Structures are given as structure tokens and as C-alpha cells.
Amino acid sequence: MNSYGKLFRGHSEKNNQLLLRSYDPVKEKYFEVIKEARNEGLKQVIINSEIMTDILYATLNSDGLILKVNMSDNTDDDIKENVKAIIRKLKSDKLIFVKLKEELEWAADSGSIDINSIDIYISNKKYEIHSNGIIHGDDLDSIFDKIMKPVLEKYFYGK
């Protein structure tokens, strides 16, 4: 069953936690999910391009595949095509990730959200990860524990 989740984090000195809350866009309004979490003292996680790049690297390190990197509309078409070409080559040579990281470096350096979303395949499951902190796929707890949480802990808390 495909499901959705939204990433949140505690934002007090004592509450350095990361959470993945289930989210059903058919039954719940996005802003209500955010509002409810804020009332509980949580902040939504926005996944900037630097975090996206780290998620891509963690996926490859966990024997996963990068299926697609969706760039913002403002991104130069040449860069979009280069990224697509590199991703095709990644399936047979994971060392090419260095070239992908170089191609995306301008976005990661700016702290931007120029990477709108990524599609990855890991543990025989496909996931979509969006810059607004929404994850879509099967068995979201698995991707959260294996990939998302370690990357986000390092980014936010230096763990």
C-alpha cells in the first residue's frame, strides 16, 4: 500500500527528535497536518538541495538506486539533461556519483531547494522524497530509519 509521510523535528533544547508522521492527502489537508504538529511543538522539515544530495549518497551507499532527480523550473535545461545522463550511467557505475554531486554542487551550496524531489529505489521499494518533507512509498518507516533519519540527524544535530 502506497502511503505518505511528513517529516517533522522538535525545536527546543530538550526536543531534538525527528519524526515521520503519516499523512493522507485524501482525508487530511496539508496545512492542518502542519498546524497540528506546530501545536505539539514540532517544526516541519524542509529538505534543501544539500540534504537531497546527502540522501542520494546514502541511498547509493545502502545499495539503492537513484531513479530520478526533479529540478526546479528555474534550472538550466543543460543541467537537467546532464543530471539525467549521469543517473542513467549510475546504474552500472556508482563511482559516477562524484559527477552527479559536482553537477548539483551549485544548488547545494546555495542552501536552496532547487531539487524539488527525488525518486529512489531501495530494499525493493520505490520512494519519492519531496523538498517540502513529504515522502511517498511503501514501508515509510524503513526508509526513514535507514536513510532519512541518519542524514537529517547529521544535518540538524551534527550526530
Side-chain angles (χ1 to χ4, degrees), residues 11 34 46 68 112 119 121 136 139:
H11 62 92
I34 304 298
I46 302 299
K68 193 173 185 184
S112 68
D119 293 2
Y121 186 81
H136 178 238
D139 191 14

Side-chain angles (χ1 to χ4, degrees), residues 22-129:
S22 63
Y23 162 60
D24 184 347
V26 174
K27 297 178 183 174
E28 301 170 281
K29 293 185 178 168
Y30 181 72
F31 77 91
E32 289 175 358
V33 172
I34 304 298
K35 185 178 176 183
E36 183 181 314
R38 287 179 59 86
N39 289 339
E40 295 173 25
L42 300 173
K43 288 174 85 170
Q44 63 174 318
V45 171
I46 302 299
I47 304 174
N48 65 28
S49 296
E50 179 180 355
I51 297 170
M52 285 289 199
T53 304
D54 291 344
I55 292 168
L56 293 173
Y57 183 69
T59 299
L60 289 177
N61 272 351
S62 298
D63 292 324
L65 294 171
I66 298 168
L67 302 175
K68 193 173 185 184
V69 175
N70 298 303
M71 306 297 292
S72 72
D73 293 339
N74 301 333
T75 305
D76 185 75
D77 287 339
D78 288 342
I79 292 174
K80 288 178 183 179
E81 288 305 315
N82 288 346
V83 167
K84 283 180 188 176
I86 293 167
I87 289 171
R88 282 192 295 272
K89 292 176 187 172
L90 264 173
K91 291 175 180 143
S92 60
D93 184 2
K94 289 186 180 184
L95 293 177
I96 291 222
F97 181 76
V98 173
K99 289 191 183 291
L100 180 62
K101 194 167 182 177
E102 286 171 3
E103 193 67 43
L104 298 173
E105 203 167 284
W106 64 273
D109 283 349
S110 65
S112 68
I113 53 172
D114 288 302
I115 299 173
N116 287 338
S117 66
I118 58 175
D119 293 2
I120 60 173
Y121 186 81
I122 189 164
S123 302
N124 296 317
K125 293 175 181 68
K126 181 183 173 195
Y127 299 96
E128 288 177 52
I129 301 167

Side-chain angles (χ1 to χ4, degrees), residues 15-27:
N15 192 8
N16 284 347
Q17 62 180 352
L18 293 159
L19 303 164
L20 178 65
R21 291 255 178 106
S22 63
Y23 162 60
D24 184 347
V26 174
K27 297 178 183 174

Side-chain angles (χ1 to χ4, degrees), residues 5-8 18-22 133 135 140-141 143-144:
K6 170 69 178 143
L7 294 166
F8 293 97
L18 293 159
L19 303 164
L20 178 65
R21 291 255 178 106
S22 63
I135 303 172
L140 296 182
D141 289 336
I143 184 100
F144 178 70

